[in-house]
Amino acid sequence: HTNQSYKQKVRYKELVMSRSLVFISYSHEDRKLKDELIKYLRVYEKHRNNLALWSVSDISVGDDWLPKIEHAIENAAVAILLITVKFLTSDFIQKKEIPQLLERRLNNGLVIIPIIARECPWDAISWLSQIQAKPLGGRAIWSGDERSIATDLTDIAKATNKIISRLEEEAKNNRINRVSKSGLLRILVADDHVIAVEGICSIIQETEDMEVV
């Protein structure tokens, strides 16, 4: 019983402390655009500590690159697609990355955020035209001036953080519900307010950033 309780405690901490992975898909020829986008997303990675960014540029020399990409897609909570004509004509992206991303979107709730980076006929792609893209209206980010680009990238970073926060809240509530249904956790409610939590209070108390709602 003690060993089981310890395993539950460790697993619970891992779930609470883990950061949501943001997978960034882009053409190698658009690396400068990707690097500029990452600067804005990095603010939340560093200061909110609720997300972790990943792109193929994170693969180390000597690593098997394909398993790394597949693993990142499999574990991502959000996927950002940097849409340009080079992205849309990349055989690897269209035949390898996109099918796996769409499958995870359908079966596991992966959130895909297409970013219209450069002017291109993106609306000719059936699966892409069905997903809400940024900026709204399909305007290309890098067709604007420096101020407009900064505004768009800030908006994308904020939207990504908002999605991550929503996913984390849903996951937290689902975890509490699962534990509650298992009989390990009992939540006492009066007048729609939580007045007591019994069962694994010690686990929750040891996790400083965990709130029970």
Side-chain angles (χ1 to χ4, degrees):
H1 177 74
T2 303
N3 187 45
Q4 182 181 1
S5 177
Y6 174 78
K7 288 182 178 179
Q8 290 171 348
K9 184 183 295 186
V10 171
R11 179 57 180 158
Y12 202 85
K13 283 188 174 183
E14 288 175 349
L15 288 169
V16 172
M17 297 302 292
S18 62
R19 295 186 295 171
S20 298
L21 184 68
V22 177
F23 177 85
I24 302 174
S25 178
Y26 69 101
S27 165
H28 287 289
E29 295 181 71
D30 297 319
R31 182 166 184 167
K32 290 184 178 179
L33 306 184
K34 182 268 298 181
D35 289 343
E36 191 169 354
L37 169 63
I38 280 183
K39 290 177 184 177
Y40 289 79
L41 293 167
R42 193 80 74 189
V43 174
Y44 290 98
E45 184 181 47
K46 287 182 175 294
H47 295 283
R48 293 294 296 275
N49 202 37
N50 63 340
L51 61 85
L53 303 173
W54 195 94
S55 69
V56 294
S57 59
D58 293 306
I59 300 175
S60 300
V61 175
D63 283 349
D64 292 331
W65 56 272
L66 183 55
K68 292 284 186 180
I69 294 173
E70 292 175 340
H71 183 267
I73 292 175
E74 185 63 29
N75 288 279
V78 174
I80 295 178
L81 315 183
L82 206 56
I83 309 297
T84 67
V85 69
K86 296 166 186 174
F87 177 96
L88 297 177
T89 55
S90 166
D91 286 340
F92 178 80
I93 292 174
Q94 300 303 315
K95 294 179 180 179
K96 293 289 187 180
E97 290 187 4
I98 296 302
Q100 189 177 355
L101 289 168
L102 293 178
E103 181 181 1
R104 286 218 56 232
R105 179 176 185 261
L106 178 64
N107 298 323
N108 306 111
L110 171 70
V111 178
I112 295 180
I113 308 175
I115 304 300
I116 310 303
R118 299 279 195 195
E119 295 286 355
C120 59
W122 61 270
D123 54 350
I125 312 299
S126 59
W127 64 264
L128 184 53
S129 62
Q130 298 172 19
I131 303 176
Q132 181 63 61
K134 284 278 191 178
L136 297 179
R139 174 177 50 82
I141 293 178
W142 276 272
S143 64
D145 57 24
E146 186 174 341
R147 181 177 179 180
S148 174
I149 293 171
T151 299
D152 286 336
L153 295 180
T154 298
D155 179 60
I156 290 166
K158 289 181 177 179
T160 302
N161 177 68
K162 186 175 181 179
I163 290 170
I164 292 294
S165 297
R166 173 176 60 80
L167 293 175
E168 289 179 341
E169 185 67 21
E170 291 174 357
K172 180 182 71 174
N173 291 335
N174 288 338
R175 288 196 296 271
I176 292 175
N177 289 337
R178 285 200 301 271
V179 175
S180 179
K181 289 178 181 178
S182 72
L184 295 173
L185 180 67
R186 188 156 63 98
I187 302 176
L188 306 181
V189 179
D191 297 328
D192 296 327
H193 296 285
V194 175
I195 59 174
V197 179
E198 300 176 354
I200 56 168
C201 292
S202 59
I203 297 176
I204 296 174
Q205 289 170 354
E206 291 184 20
T207 309
E208 295 179 354
D209 62 343
M210 179 66 180
E211 297 179 358
V212 179
V213 296

